[in-house]
Amino acid sequence: MNILITFSFFFCTMLGATLFFKGKYREQAIYVSVPLLFLAFNLSLSSGVYRIVGENLKNYINTATLVIIALCLILFNRNSLKISWEYIYFIPLFAQCIYFYCFTSDIYNLPNFIRQTLNYFSIYLCFVIGKSIKKVSLEAFFNSFNVLAIFNGVLGIAQMITKKTLLIGNFNSSILYTEGVVNGNRAVGIAGSNNSAGNLAALLFVIIIFNLVWHKSWYSFIALVLNVVFAILTQTRIGLLAIAITFLIIFIDYKPKTRNGSLIKQIMFSMLAILGVIVLIVLGDKIINILFTSRGNTAGERFIQYGIAWRTAIENHPLMGIGPGQWRSFLYGFYQLVDIPIHSQYLNFFVENGVFIFILNIIFNFGILLSCIKKLNRFINLPGRRNLRLFVYTFFMANLIVSNFNPNQIYTLNNIIYYLVIFVTEAYINNTNQRLLEEENMNEHPTNY
């Protein structure tokens, strides 16, 4: 009943909000869907509790998935189910999930299997949403992430002040991080955990900085500042590294249109370099202590985990894997080892889904990138083409970095945001290209219109 009520709220909110937009067409529901992700929390699918590898687990669905389901239903049209090359990934992936559930006895952790399968399903729905839209404004869509970033940044600051998560269904839980050498508080935002929060901050950073580049508004600047503050409060090293790398690429590649703009860029670069040196001199020891000394060698432990995953799972189950969501149960059941989720989304596909799905996953992800770039290179007159191409590169890179040093496969919200943005961007490119083609044909053959 709670799931039905929550789903109905999301559906009616998105559908009703379209009445307030100019034009009042249903595709505008996508602008409202992004702020609704701020309400992400887990809803139990049943009352049963499973005691698995020292954890009490329930079957649940994240409300971010309900948002995507509702949005998909609102946008659904005859284009939604057109077969395209991406199905070479989705069909084997879901066939494998069905095989493991229905025809094997290898599902030792049902809650994690459901969690992982629902994440796959959420990604597929993001793909369907991309195929369903025809005239969405990319500007309005990206601006909606400013709202999400501001809410999330304020929440992160409040979490550090209160030392509580302040999240729906988990309001009074502590944000104390106890897995390092020294305990400390780390913001979790709407993502629910500190590492997933750092991943989220890196993705939001790329979106918001392009909002700022394109429109130079105070609204985007405030969102960017709050998001950077939030990223620092999460103390997620790979998230901060992804932000630093993508910022450097964007800053270097940015081409001002005027001589004064070039001068300002040079001055900013000098000021940032000086500021960086000052921060390292004044706070260097403290930064190293917080991010490295107090946390222990968790980065090195990731590579130890990768080696264990190769020797235990991949070498023994290379073709089909050990089953979606089964890593911790598999390792404990067969080797009496207790481990955390695999800190690499790509490697996790190899371990849990086997070599064929692993290869298809790489083809799928890099194929989306290449598809966007190919279409952007084809039309040199596409509005904002250069910045859009840079965005696609950096957004893909940010996700690639954070998803392969944290267990991104279990972060529902991050997967939804990444794939929703990348598929909506691809749809915008496709639709704009189609419109330009039609305009070219009209100019070449005016008598036919």
Side-chain angles (χ1 to χ4, degrees), residues 321-374:
I322 61 175
Q326 302 308 296
W327 165 245
R328 298 187 70 239
S329 298
F330 166 83
L331 196 63
Y332 183 76
F334 289 96
Y335 297 92
Q336 289 72 57
L337 296 174
V338 177
D339 196 18
I340 56 179
I342 293 177
H343 278 50
S344 169
Q345 189 167 12
Y346 279 51
L347 180 61
N348 189 79
F349 269 101
F350 205 159
V351 170
E352 296 188 346
N353 302 86
V355 64
F356 298 115
I357 300 296
F358 169 70
I359 292 172
L360 289 176
N361 177 63
I362 292 176
I363 293 172
F364 170 71
N365 282 286
F366 280 85
I368 299 167
L369 171 68
L370 295 176
S371 175
C372 291
I373 299 303
K374 181 180 178 181

Side-chain angles (χ1 to χ4, degrees), residues 46-322:
S46 63
S47 59
V49 178
Y50 300 80
R51 183 70 178 177
I52 302 174
V53 196
E55 287 185 300
N56 292 324
L57 303 176
K58 281 187 173 185
N59 297 327
Y60 69 81
I61 184 171
N62 191 282
T63 55
T65 298
L66 296 181
V67 170
I68 295 302
I69 293 173
L71 180 61
C72 191
L73 290 176
I74 292 172
L75 301 181
F76 193 86
N77 56 54
R78 63 182 182 181
N79 294 322
S80 301
L81 296 181
K82 283 186 177 179
I83 301 299
S84 57
W85 70 267
E86 291 89 351
Y87 280 91
I88 67 170
Y89 168 67
F90 285 121
I91 291 175
L93 178 63
F94 289 119
Q96 187 189 56
C97 292
I98 294 170
Y99 168 77
F100 269 103
Y101 185 75
C102 297
F103 302 105
T104 74
S105 57
D106 297 332
I107 303 299
Y108 308 105
N109 190 328
L110 183 61
N112 277 353
F113 174 81
I114 292 175
R115 179 184 191 178
Q116 195 68 69
T117 303
L118 284 173
N119 284 349
Y120 297 156
F121 182 61
S122 299
I123 294 171
Y124 173 70
L125 291 183
C126 291
F127 164 70
V128 173
I129 288 168
K131 292 176 71 69
S132 303
I133 59 178
K134 294 181 179 179
K135 51 182 178 180
V136 164
S137 165
L138 199 62
E139 175 185 343
F141 177 60
F142 276 19
N143 279 333
S144 65
F145 283 94
N146 285 347
V147 180
L148 184 64
I150 290 172
F151 286 169
N152 187 57
V154 171
L155 174 63
I157 294 170
Q159 288 171 340
M160 294 298 288
I161 293 172
T162 63
K163 308 297 187 292
K164 305 292 184 183
T165 63
L166 309 178
L167 296 174
I168 299 174
N170 201 26
F171 192 84
N172 289 315
S173 294
S174 174
I175 60 170
L176 184 67
Y177 178 77
T178 60
E179 296 177 16
V181 176
V182 178
N183 295 342
N185 292 297
R186 297 174 61 187
V188 300
I190 58 175
S193 71
N194 38 64
N195 282 341
S196 61
N199 286 16
L200 173 63
L203 296 178
L204 291 177
F205 175 81
V206 179
I207 300 171
I208 299 165
I209 200 170
F210 273 92
N211 283 340
L212 187 61
V213 168
W214 288 333
H215 306 295
K216 300 178 178 62
S217 67
W218 281 104
Y219 176 49
S220 296
F221 180 75
I222 292 170
L224 185 68
V225 170
L226 282 172
N227 186 67
V228 171
V229 169
F230 173 72
I232 294 170
L233 295 179
T234 69
Q235 299 176 33
T236 304
R237 292 169 295 192
I238 199 63
L240 293 170
L241 178 63
I243 288 174
I245 291 174
T246 52
F247 174 75
L248 187 61
I249 293 172
I250 293 167
F251 188 83
I252 292 174
D253 190 82
Y254 177 64
K255 305 294 185 193
K257 297 180 180 179
T258 64
R259 182 174 297 179
N260 287 339
S262 298
L263 180 61
I264 291 172
K265 177 182 176 180
Q266 293 173 9
I267 293 173
M268 284 186 61
F269 183 80
S270 301
M271 291 177 63
L272 288 171
I274 294 171
L275 179 62
V277 172
I278 293 173
V279 169
L280 288 176
I281 292 173
V282 177
L283 300 174
D285 291 341
K286 188 173 183 180
I287 292 172
I288 291 172
N289 181 61
I290 292 174
L291 294 181
F292 298 97
T293 307
S294 298
R295 294 273 291 280
N297 187 27
T298 56
E301 290 172 359
R302 283 166 169 75
F303 293 100
I304 295 174
Q305 181 189 58
Y306 300 161
I308 293 173
W310 182 271
R311 294 190 299 272
T312 60
I314 294 175
E315 286 186 355
N316 296 312
H317 304 272
L319 299 181
M320 291 293 292
I322 61 175

